[in-house]
Amino acid sequence: MTGPDDILVAEALTRRFDPRLTIGDRIAGALGAPVERRPLRAVTDVSFAIRRGETLGLVGESGCGKSTLGRMVAGILPQTSGRVTLDGKPVMARGRKTTTRIQTVFQDPFASLNPRRRIGETIAEGPIAHGIVTRAGAPAFIAEWLARVGLDPAVAQRFPHQFSGGQRQRVAIARALAMRPDLLVCDEPVASLDVSIQAQILNLFLELRQALGLTCLFISHDLSVVRHVADRVAIMYLGRIVEVGPAARIHAAPRHPYARALLDSVPKLRLDATSVTFRPIAGELPSPLAPPAGCAFHPRCPRASDLCRRERPDLVAGEDGAALACHHPEPAA
Amino acid sequence: MTAPLLSVRDLRTHFMTRAGVAKAVDGVSFDLAAGEILGLVGESGSGKSVTGFSLLGLVDPPGRIVGGSIRFQGRELVGMPPAALRALRGRHLAMVFQDPQATLNPVLTIGAQMALAVQAHERASDRAALDRAAAVLARVGIPEAARRLSAYPHEFSGGMRQRVAIATALLHGPALIVADEPTTALDVSIQAQILAKMKALAAESGTALIWISHDLATVSSLADRVLVMYAGRIVESGPVGAVLRAPLHPYTRGLLDSLPAMATPGEKLRQIPGAAPSLLALPAGCAFAPRCPRADAACAAPPPEVAQGSRRAACHHPLEAAA
């Protein structure tokens, strides 16, 4: 499923977290007591590619592995197996990030900005270290980036706590983009913002993406946000991608029953008294410590058969960058 | 017409902070009929949660209800002695909070804390209290409820914990439940389950519900009527469908236009410029005026109330309502 336009390729990415044993567990284990050491499989065998200039949306519920996947793509978290390459070169080598061409914007800019450093320094630190700008040129560089993200250049001397949530996210975007990345990984960049501020940040994102020709991996739990910014959407469930496709088609006619159920469960604005605005999915999310056998979605799936309980469906690539992992998909529209 | 279940008049809850008086709720008035579901919508700092907390007398210092009246089942709650309020709270008036992890006691089993909630208001044997708890847990959709009574909160998922919190609120069949962002911390699939359950429970038990949320879509799927708050005041109220179809207040319009779901994908959203004002220094006139595309010199004066049937808006230049 890779093509010549692909800038980023992830192949069979897997991330396992092994439980850290406490001293008590170790003593108990040494004395022969049963100690639970089941690994948590956050991401299992995920492959995908992002084309140059494309925004790929990554959607799923808590615990589905979308942030873990994003961190591996960004080169922040080493994978257990598999690999990520940017223009053919591995993003990580020997546990370290090898490129500055991938930058990240996180959900909580208060946690991702150094609270004791003036935001001007935060923005210029990376570019100075990597020779993008000289120390002498830094003040003008900082002013330019603050203006680009819609902040007054005079605020360069302030600290993160002097900004509102939306302004801090603007600083975080400036910090990431000042490194001139080719790929921007956004992990829930608007999830903690109020609706009116969220709209401002999404507009800024759309504007800068076009001006700079960015490629993006945009991670969110909010389907309407992803529908708005993404060209293609990948949907994750319990550590695996279950469906990928063009954003409009996924939104209008998803083929994986989980994708369908997820879309149906989001309340829509109800403009008249009678319309049904959401339909819940039955059941709870299974624990990633003990994923169900076969297709992980089968216990909650209305279309599940014996085959689904026995055999896990592979992610099969279709046309136009689409892919689907389901034995009994909904008919194509 | 019979008296409403709840009648709030000119409620003002202020926080006396070192930096000055923060007017979190400043002149809120509304009525709620028995069995009605009311959505209370606003962004952070709009005063929606403080309004909910004020109704139950749960505002802690430096916050204080400084004026207004809350009449519930004909009794005045503002200034009511704490003991009388405690007798009411949990029995006739209950609250569900955003974070069930913080609501539930981590060192008591689900059964033990629900039994305590039963016995706080009624003389009941432990056995009878536990039976009641199991019955209510089953009603909110917890499988094998009787067996789960001996579980601790950490053994439950977030969605299940919120069901326990809702079950606890339902124990005494209260006339009113105030729910503050009860599904915000939950995943969409679990949120949908809770919404469907809440809707069914409110209908079958005749409990009135005040649903506080920042999410217009969630409120619209549940509520009969909606109140939109901005900077401590109600700027618009009315039946959910009518308000969302054709808002009267420019702020409501702006909120709707900010939603990606309402826009063409990839197009710029029609954002509201600026940010909400500080509650310490609210403008003298309309608090939304600095961000409002329709604002002019008249907006420096307090906005008048515009009435259209059962709809209300506080605005000098309301938008035309569609016929």
Side-chain angles (χ1 to χ4, degrees), chain B residues 18-271:
Chain B
R18 212 177 286 173
V21 178
K23 298 178 177 174
V25 176
D26 199 34
V28 161
S29 303
F30 64 92
D31 287 336
L32 182 71
E36 190 182 12
I37 303 182
L38 180 70
L40 190 52
V41 174
E43 298 183 274
S44 328
S46 63
K48 56 188 193 303
S49 293
V50 177
T51 301
F53 279 75
S54 300
L55 295 179
L56 280 93
L58 293 175
V59 179
D60 288 326
R64 193 155 58 82
I65 297 179
V66 296
S69 136
I70 301 168
R71 291 192 77 79
F72 173 72
Q73 294 179 325
R75 298 166 72 189
E76 177 60 52
L77 301 191
V78 176
M80 183 181 261
L85 200 53
R86 267 202 304 278
L88 215 56
R89 212 163 36 208
R91 176 158 205 160
H92 302 290
L93 194 61
M95 188 146 183
V96 177
F97 299 89
Q98 174 171 352
D99 181 6
Q101 180 82 66
T103 323
L104 300 174
N105 188 330
V107 299
L108 291 182
T109 61
I110 299 295
Q113 51 194 303
M114 289 186 73
L116 282 175
V118 172
Q119 290 163 339
H121 294 288
E122 280 170 31
R123 288 176 64 102
S125 69
D126 289 354
R127 188 67 257 161
L130 286 172
D131 286 346
R132 269 269 284 290
V136 181
L137 285 177
R139 265 178 78 202
V140 298
I142 291 191
E144 301 182 81
R147 201 174 57 77
R148 306 300 287 273
L149 285 176
S150 55
Y152 287 89
H154 76 267
E155 297 175 62
F156 281 58
S157 67
M160 282 297 171
R161 280 199 288 263
Q162 197 57 292
R163 282 173 203 260
V164 172
I166 291 167
T168 309
L170 285 168
L171 273 176
H172 295 279
L176 171 64
I177 295 178
V178 177
D180 184 15
E181 302 266 12
T183 60
T184 304
L186 305 176
D187 278 310
V188 279
S189 72
I190 307 302
Q191 162 173 292
Q193 293 174 0
I194 301 261
L195 285 177
K197 202 76 213 175
M198 245 7 230
K199 207 170 177 164
L201 287 170
E204 78 183 42
S205 62
T207 301
L209 189 60
I210 296 182
W211 190 270
I212 301 171
S213 176
H214 69 285
D215 183 0
L216 285 166
T218 305
V219 164
S220 80
S221 66
L222 192 69
D224 308 313
R225 213 152 52 87
V226 63
L227 306 178
V228 182
M229 285 191 77
Y230 187 79
R233 297 209 171 103
I234 294 172
V235 295
E236 175 156 10
S237 64
V240 167
V243 169
L244 297 185
R245 256 196 319 275
L248 295 173
H249 200 283
Y251 174 64
T252 316
R253 175 82 267 163
L255 267 189
L256 285 165
D257 287 342
S258 295
L259 295 175
M262 300 288 278
T264 314
E267 299 277 302
K268 283 196 88 172
L269 300 164
R270 264 186 292 169
Q271 65 187 43

Side-chain angles (χ1 to χ4, degrees), chain A residues 1-10 47-57 73 85-88 101 181-184 209 212-218 229-234 244-247 249 317-323:
Chain A
M1 43 196 282
T2 60
D5 292 344
D6 296 336
I7 175 166
L8 183 114
V9 177
S47 301
F48 65 92
I50 307 179
R51 295 174 206 146
R52 204 173 299 279
E54 179 187 46
T55 295
L56 177 70
V73 168
T85 53
L86 184 73
D87 279 333
R101 293 172 56 207
D182 294 308
L183 178 78
L184 189 65
R209 182 180 69 180
L212 302 172
L214 285 172
T215 306
C216 293
L217 177 65
F218 195 100
V229 301
D231 303 303
R232 263 190 321 147
V233 174
V244 190
R249 204 270 295 156
E319 283 170 27
D320 206 16

Side-chain angles (χ1 to χ4, degrees), chain A residues 68-320:
Chain A
T68 303
L69 182 56
R71 280 162 190 265
M72 287 193 284
V73 168
I76 304 169
L77 183 76
Q79 61 270 24
T80 305
S81 64
R83 61 185 212 142
V84 188
T85 53
L86 184 73
D87 279 333
K89 292 192 263 313
V91 163
M92 280 197 118
R94 278 176 250 109
R96 287 177 67 95
K97 188 175 171 184
T98 58
T99 176
T100 59
R101 293 172 56 207
I102 303 180
Q103 292 294 321
T104 317
V105 175
F106 297 95
Q107 171 173 357
D108 180 3
F110 204 49
S112 61
L113 299 173
N114 186 338
R116 303 179 60 166
R117 184 166 287 178
R118 297 177 198 280
I119 58 135
E121 295 169 41
T122 294
I123 290 171
E125 185 189 22
I128 291 173
H130 290 278
I132 293 171
V133 67
T134 61
R135 204 164 279 281
F141 180 82
I142 294 164
E144 184 203 325
W145 273 107
L146 287 173
R148 285 200 100 154
V149 298
L151 292 171
D152 183 349
V155 302
Q157 296 301 313
R158 294 200 192 157
F159 291 95
H161 75 266
Q162 294 173 287
F163 294 89
S164 68
Q167 288 171 327
R168 275 200 291 267
Q169 202 57 294
R170 288 175 192 267
V171 174
I173 290 172
R175 183 193 58 77
L177 295 183
M179 287 298 290
R180 295 198 201 138
D182 294 308
L183 178 78
L184 189 65
V185 175
C186 299
D187 189 1
E188 299 271 13
V190 296
S192 55
L193 303 176
D194 271 318
V195 178
S196 72
I197 307 301
Q198 170 179 303
Q200 295 174 2
I201 298 297
L202 287 178
N203 280 345
L204 177 70
F205 171 78
L206 293 175
E207 203 177 290
L208 290 171
R209 182 180 69 180
Q210 182 163 21
L212 302 172
L214 285 172
T215 306
C216 293
L217 177 65
F218 195 100
I219 302 168
S220 177
H221 72 285
D222 187 330
L223 290 150
S224 67
V225 167
V226 166
R227 165 84 179 96
H228 194 72
V229 301
D231 303 303
R232 263 190 321 147
V233 174
I235 295 181
M236 280 187 85
Y237 189 74
L238 233 60
R240 293 176 192 268
I241 290 181
V242 296
E243 182 166 11
V244 190
R249 204 270 295 156
I250 290 277
H251 213 76
R255 300 203 54 207
H256 196 285
Y258 174 65
R260 166 93 275 160
L262 189 64
L263 279 159
D264 283 349
S265 66
V266 179
K268 321 282 181 302
L269 279 177
R270 185 180 61 150
L271 300 178
D272 56 79
T274 51
S275 59
V276 177
T277 64
F278 64 93
R279 206 171 288 119
I281 314 179
E284 292 263 315
L285 279 166
S287 161
L289 285 171
C295 171
F297 188 57
H298 85 254
R300 305 172 78 187
C301 182
R303 303 172 79 88
S305 69
D306 276 341
L307 179 62
C308 309
R309 282 178 268 278
R310 238 175 20 243
E311 253 174 67
R312 185 171 43 72
D314 288 327
L315 188 69
V316 178
E319 283 170 27
D320 206 16

